[in-house]
Amino acid sequence: MKEKATGTSYAKIIFFGEHSVVYGKPAVAIPLYSVDVSATLERTVIGQTIHCRYFDGPISQMNDNLQGVRVLIDRLLNLFEANELSFRLTIESKVPAERGMGSSAATAIALVRAFFNLFEKPLSRLELLTLADIEEKITHGNPSGLDAATASSEAPIWFIKNQVNEQIEFHRSNLCLVIADSGIKGKTSEAVSLVHNNLIDEPDMAMPLIDQLGQIATTARQALADSDQVTLGRLMSQSQTDLAKLGVSTKALDQFCQIAITYNALGAKLTGSGLGGCMIALAKNQRDAQIIATKLRQAGATQTWIQSFKNYEFTTGEQHDNLVK
Ligand code: MEV
């Protein structure tokens, strides 16, 4: 066993397929390299403490809203038969919480990696995602697994719940995604319940929207491989219309999408659960992206990020279930 070990992960952005992914439809999601999480475990002589933006102190005294993390730590200690281990756990996260960027999933992934790294044990991707799901189930109820799958990936992924998790072809181009935080907390479990209730109360309205969101993700996959920017933009804006009809957009997110389009974005949509959180806009190039980001901040976005399509690394069609770092 090492004296000190770190695990890392990324924020995730759902490009296409939020909500419909819960109902077995495909989704496309990307890791955001500049927005990461690290979990560092250091062995100590006494105690088990955690130091993160929400809590500083003994793990046994962690707040209820961190229950998912506490249960995951217990599970990991059991797994390594190390319940008596003394350690200090430091979690440093650049991922804004409750903004649809997968903050909790990214924390869980970094945590699992840190433990396996400390105990010098190999970790399969399946085991990583299964363990992260322990935290996600407590925090979000019935997660599709997309957040954890993306937070742990080095590449854009194509995801179908319980079936497929693979890297996809992503044409490197001048295109850029602008991500803007509305500054309003997203409410994942509330948004997921709202869509669920819509499907029960008004299936004739809601089911075709879920189907269409899934179809959009399928078309988008090809458009990403071809770098068909016009189609991509159109599909994003169509997704936003469908998600708004499902009830998960907000005035601020709608307004941000409109501003992005006014300033030359090819398309724009909310990302993640909605009811707050972030939106994304597709820009033709870095210059347009900078202008859109500035206009969104002037309109009230609390933070913006720009992710260039040039930066993505992937191996075409590689099944994404190999051993992880
Ligand atoms: C949340 O980031 C994405 C949702 O599709 C829920 C999920 O996939 O579990 C809204």
Side-chain angles (χ1 to χ4, degrees), residues 12 14 17-22 100 142-147 188 192 272-273:
K12 70 101 209 315
I14 301 180
E18 49 272 275
H19 288 290
S20 43
V21 71
V22 174
N142 181 26
S144 64
L146 175 60
D147 289 11
T188 305
V192 170
S273 67

Side-chain angles (χ1 to χ4, degrees), residues 68 112 164 185 223 276 305 313:
V112 175
V164 184
K185 282 186 179 178
W305 299 264
E313 284 177 24

Side-chain angles (χ1 to χ4, degrees), residues 43-63:
R43 290 177 62 190
T44 52
V45 239
I46 189 161
Q48 296 183 336
T49 57
I50 183 164
H51 308 272
C52 65
R53 60 187 165 191
Y54 304 111
F55 187 77
D56 205 26
I59 285 182
S60 57
Q61 290 171 25
M62 266 161 86
N63 314 335

Side-chain angles (χ1 to χ4, degrees), residues 120-136:
E120 301 180 80
K121 294 281 181 221
L123 173 63
S124 75
R125 184 160 180 78
L126 182 63
E127 197 170 11
L128 173 66
L129 297 181
T130 307
L131 285 164
D133 199 47
I134 293 170
E135 177 281 326
E136 283 293 90

Side-chain angles (χ1 to χ4, degrees), residues 172-245:
R172 282 175 212 226
S173 67
N174 287 333
L175 290 174
C176 291
L177 265 192
V178 180
I179 300 109
D181 183 354
S182 70
I184 300 159
K185 282 186 179 178
K187 303 168 190 87
T188 305
S189 25
E190 200 181 306
V192 170
S193 301
L194 192 145
V195 172
H196 179 73
N197 292 343
N198 276 338
L199 279 164
I200 290 170
D201 299 341
E202 294 183 71
D204 294 348
M205 178 279 290
M207 204 55 226
L209 294 172
I210 295 289
D211 287 340
Q212 176 153 300
L213 286 164
Q215 190 50 53
I216 285 174
T218 306
T219 313
R221 179 180 181 161
Q222 192 55 49
L224 280 164
D226 298 343
S227 200
D228 179 350
Q229 54 181 47
V230 174
T231 301
L232 277 174
R234 183 177 53 74
L235 294 172
M236 286 172 75
S237 296
Q238 183 61 53
S239 296
Q240 173 61 17
T241 305
D242 292 350
L243 290 162
K245 283 186 190 159

